[in-house]
Amino acid sequence: LITRINNLKFSLKNCKGIIFTHADADKVSAAAYIKEIIPEIPILTSINIKLKLLDRVYMEQLYKKDCLLSGKYELTRDLKQISFDDFFDKFQKLTTIADTEHLKVIDDLFIRVVSFSGHSTDSLAYILTPLNYIIADEGLGYYRAREMTAPGSDFSIDHSINSIKKIIDLDPAGLCLPFGGVLTAHLVKK
């Protein structure tokens, strides 16, 4: 994540906070390394995700997955692995955000938090208002080039469908999907 941020010519120093969609290793582990660089950066999450990240046994499993994932990618092979204790400590100060809470990003831009179970039991989605862009995890789906989306309902397809019904009436202007960027216009309806 840090390498990707740098490749986009975005400075981590401009980052105001870290918000998780769910507590999988590929989504949260980079936060520990970002906190190595910017210790004061807040991590925002739901109470359910917070409880997972404060559970030492869960975090040991997450840390092991992170070590395995880091070894698989060329961009992360040279990254100095931090110890488990340092990794765990980085997640001890989490700010809890409630379902439907609005967080101010800048003057007229807010993030609304929405529970969005499907990919995992504790998944969240975020709605950028007033833009009406939805940022979701794999429960909404994956998008590959010009192909249709495919559900990533690892926890429950029924939960994913219910979560999608929850946001469908919002008439989103854009969908931000993992691994696929932003869909706009007619692709949102598809």
Side-chain angles (χ1 to χ4, degrees):
L1 178 64
I2 295 168
T3 303
R4 287 182 180 166
I5 289 171
N6 291 335
N7 287 342
L8 292 170
K9 308 294 185 227
F10 180 81
S11 172
L12 273 177
K13 303 288 184 215
N14 294 331
C15 196
K16 303 293 183 211
I18 301 167
I19 305 175
F20 298 139
T21 54
H22 59 286
D24 287 356
D26 64 331
K27 300 296 184 253
V28 302
S29 296
Y33 298 93
I34 292 171
K35 285 189 79 65
E36 285 277 302
I37 299 166
I38 310 169
E40 67 279 359
I41 195 166
I43 298 176
L44 303 119
T45 191
S46 69
I47 189 65
N48 290 337
I49 294 172
K50 180 178 182 174
L51 292 173
K52 273 187 173 180
L53 298 177
L54 295 176
D55 180 329
R56 193 169 185 86
V57 173
Y58 179 82
M59 289 301 285
E60 285 172 351
Q61 294 168 352
L62 192 114
Y63 179 77
K64 288 176 185 173
K65 286 180 187 175
D66 177 59
C67 291
L68 286 172
L69 287 171
S70 295
K72 287 184 176 184
Y73 300 101
E74 188 175 327
L75 292 174
T76 56
R77 284 191 193 123
D78 296 332
L79 186 66
K80 183 180 177 245
Q81 190 71 38
I82 61 176
S83 71
F84 169 72
D85 288 332
D86 285 345
F87 182 84
F88 185 68
D89 287 345
K90 302 292 185 224
F91 295 96
Q92 296 310 296
K93 293 182 181 172
L94 302 170
T95 302
T96 303
I97 47 180
D99 195 21
T100 72
E101 185 173 347
H102 285 75
L103 304 170
K104 184 176 182 177
V105 179
I106 55 174
D107 293 333
D108 294 325
L109 183 65
F110 294 84
I111 294 175
R112 180 178 161 207
V113 182
V114 180
S115 62
F116 202 82
S117 66
H119 178 65
S120 68
T121 57
D122 52 15
S123 292
L124 301 172
Y126 303 97
I127 302 168
L128 294 174
T129 58
L131 300 174
N132 226 23
Y133 273 46
I134 297 173
I135 302 169
D137 69 3
E138 293 90 341
L140 186 56
Y142 304 94
Y143 183 77
R144 302 279 188 230
R146 296 244 173 240
E147 300 171 19
M148 293 292 289
T149 60
S153 309
D154 298 353
F155 167 64
S156 163
I157 189 75
D158 291 333
H159 281 254
S160 283
I161 290 168
N162 288 334
S163 291
I164 290 167
K165 286 178 182 176
K166 188 188 299 186
I167 63 167
I168 202 104
D169 291 335
L170 298 173
D171 195 28
L175 297 175
C176 306
L177 297 174
F179 315 113
V182 179
L183 301 180
T184 58
H186 73 282
L187 291 175
V188 173
K189 301 300 180 203
K190 223 175 169 182

